[in-house]
Amino acid sequence: MRKIIFLCFLILGCVQLFAQTAKDSLPPYLQVPFVPPFKILLTDSSSFAKADLPKSKPTVIMYFSPDCGHCQIQIKELADSIQFVNDVTFILASYKPIPEIEAFEQEYKLKQFSNIKVGRDVKYFLPSFYKVRFTPFVAVYNKKGKLRLAFEHGFSVKELIKILN
């Protein structure tokens, strides 16, 4: 009888151990599916953080590299279609030095769009939060700040419109 009880507790313990391991192996953005407490250094030397996001607007966080070809294509498509996503706040963050980020921002004329913020993730918070393996990495949040979808290889504006509607 003691062996059966011991065996039951052993099995329950193993199940609990594996259940915790599976949840703990998820990236933080899936464990806490809300806009993370980010802070980026903008190219004008000011900062922009989660607290600065407009209320009741969708948010898209894109982790990019200025020299990434896919990122460049992604931003060109976004800039060309910005009229379709005017009510979305875009946060473009990179780990690269500010001069490279600023050159990228100027090349794609991103300062003309009030809903796009471009800067440096000085503390390297976003890549660890999202477990970024490829750029561009894109996380889409609804008006309430809840994660809708994440893309490991970028997105199309058409996809974004479908997700946010």
Side-chain angles (χ1 to χ4, degrees):
M1 182 68 172
R2 284 185 178 183
K3 288 181 182 180
I4 293 174
I5 292 173
F6 176 74
L7 184 59
C8 288
F9 278 115
L10 183 63
I11 291 171
L12 286 173
C14 288
V15 168
Q16 182 67 17
L17 178 67
F18 286 115
Q20 285 179 344
T21 304
K23 183 176 182 347
D24 293 343
S25 67
L26 289 175
Y29 78 96
L30 292 175
Q31 293 179 32
V32 183
F34 295 96
V35 175
F38 71 90
K39 184 176 183 181
I40 61 172
L41 176 65
L42 300 177
T43 56
D44 65 2
S45 298
S46 65
S47 25
F48 190 87
K50 177 182 178 179
D52 301 317
L53 287 171
K55 304 293 182 222
S56 299
K57 281 194 171 188
T59 300
V60 172
I61 297 176
M62 178 176 159
Y63 199 78
F64 77 103
S65 179
D67 56 1
C68 161
H70 290 105
C71 300
Q72 294 165 1
I73 292 168
Q74 182 78 80
I75 293 304
K76 179 155 179 23
E77 181 191 354
L78 178 61
D80 290 345
S81 305
I82 198 73
Q83 71 273 14
F84 300 113
V85 286
N86 249 351
D87 63 334
V88 178
T89 301
F90 291 90
I91 307 301
L92 278 57
S94 180
Y95 65 93
K96 294 286 190 165
I98 286 289
E100 289 181 41
I101 296 170
E102 188 171 26
F104 181 88
E105 182 180 48
Q106 289 173 355
E107 181 176 344
Y108 294 98
K109 299 173 179 63
L110 299 176
K111 282 194 179 198
Q112 70 179 326
F113 306 115
S114 62
N115 62 326
I116 299 178
K117 304 296 179 190
V118 183
R120 183 165 193 255
D121 182 10
V122 177
K123 294 185 179 178
Y124 204 70
F125 168 75
L126 293 172
S128 60
F129 182 78
Y130 291 115
K131 300 290 185 211
V132 174
R133 296 183 304 150
F134 308 102
T135 55
F137 179 92
V138 180
V140 180
Y141 296 89
N142 66 15
K143 294 176 181 182
K144 295 179 180 180
K146 186 162 175 36
L147 180 69
R148 290 290 318 231
L149 200 55
F151 298 94
E152 286 196 9
H153 302 285
F155 64 94
S156 75
V157 174
K158 287 180 184 178
E159 285 177 300
L160 181 62
I161 293 168
K162 284 181 191 176
I163 291 166
L164 294 174
N165 288 332

